[in-house]
Amino acid sequence: MPPHEFEFSVADLDASGKDFRFPVRGSWLRGVLEGTEMKAGAHDGALEIRASKSGTDVIVHGTLTAELVTPCARCLGDAVVKIDGPLSILMVPGKAADDDELSPEQADVGSYEGETVVLDDVVKDEILLEIPMIPLCSEDCPGMSPGLNQKPDHESGGQGKEEEEIDPRLLPLLKLKQAEQSKKKERKG
Ligand SMILES: [Zn+2]
């Protein structure tokens, strides 16, 4: 097993760039998500990138997909989170001094050491950033006790309820209407 999941050699690159495709495997994702409530999804994702050299910098453009499972914010059931987004980063040589405190503006700049570009942390950060704050198992998740109070209402039917809910101020009007209707009937009959 390689020491890193997403790595390539700078020596392999020329100015026109080179395409790479790495699977985002569940086994790697599990390591990333260790200690969180999240789990790897059922399907592997993929990191598909084109890397090219600009001087000593390495420009990485591509897409990242990944699948993970996190507790639904409403019902605590499994919510499948599918990550599918662009990934762009500039890798500069040498260890950046402020590596641990990247501001959002600097977040798309990383560093590499020696001749090997390692994107594990980039991919990890991107995945963690893309996880929604309020993950839901479905858009219309009803919450902890779905339908417990709703079902009897639907089964008893709305008709009786509607009559009960008539605004009392409208009752005289309703009686007037009923009276008129019965008059018409009388005339006809
Ligand atoms: Zn839910």
Side-chain angles (χ1 to χ4, degrees):
M1 221 176 116
H4 301 290
E5 193 81 356
F6 313 103
E7 67 170 25
F8 56 85
S9 172
V10 180
D12 289 345
L13 307 178
D14 54 31
S16 66
K18 191 171 161 84
D19 293 328
F20 296 93
R21 188 187 189 284
F22 304 94
V24 179
R25 295 184 300 174
S27 55
W28 178 81
L29 207 50
R30 269 190 289 277
V32 168
L33 301 171
E34 207 177 347
T36 74
E37 289 176 307
M38 294 172 280
K39 298 173 282 185
H43 305 98
D44 284 358
L47 174 68
E48 289 175 323
I49 51 162
R50 183 167 190 85
S52 54
K53 260 167 96 173
S54 172
T56 55
D57 296 346
V58 176
I59 303 156
V60 177
H61 279 303
T63 56
L64 171 70
T65 60
E67 188 181 299
L68 50 99
V69 178
T70 184
C72 170
R74 288 188 197 148
C75 72
L76 301 181
D78 282 353
V80 176
V81 173
K82 285 185 178 171
I83 287 158
D84 186 354
L87 186 140
S88 288
I89 189 152
L90 181 70
M91 301 299 281
V92 299
K95 208 170 171 67
D98 55 353
D99 217 4
D100 293 326
E101 318 171 29
L102 286 178
S103 69
E105 295 81 40
Q106 295 171 299
D108 50 3
V109 178
S111 64
Y112 69 92
E113 284 178 272
E115 285 292 297
T116 307
V117 175
V118 178
L119 295 174
D120 286 39
D121 284 346
V122 174
V123 173
K124 177 184 170 179
D125 288 351
E126 191 67 24
I127 288 173
L128 295 178
L129 269 174
E130 291 292 318
I131 294 168
M133 294 289 283
I134 302 170
L136 296 176
C137 62
S138 77
E139 286 287 327
D140 44 34
C141 171
M144 288 296 278
S145 48
L148 271 185
N149 300 317
Q150 290 165 5
K151 223 175 181 180
D153 272 5
H154 283 297
E155 278 170 357
S156 70
Q159 279 193 338
K161 213 181 175 189
E162 262 173 28
E163 275 172 28
E164 281 166 27
E165 278 175 2
I166 286 175
D167 189 327
R169 287 167 296 182
L170 291 177
L171 279 175
L173 203 67
L174 197 72
K175 275 177 187 168
L176 200 69
K177 209 177 165 187
Q178 282 167 343
E180 266 179 71
Q181 276 169 348
S182 57
K183 269 184 201 168
K184 277 180 192 170
K185 272 184 191 171
E186 277 169 26
R187 274 182 219 153
K188 274 180 188 172

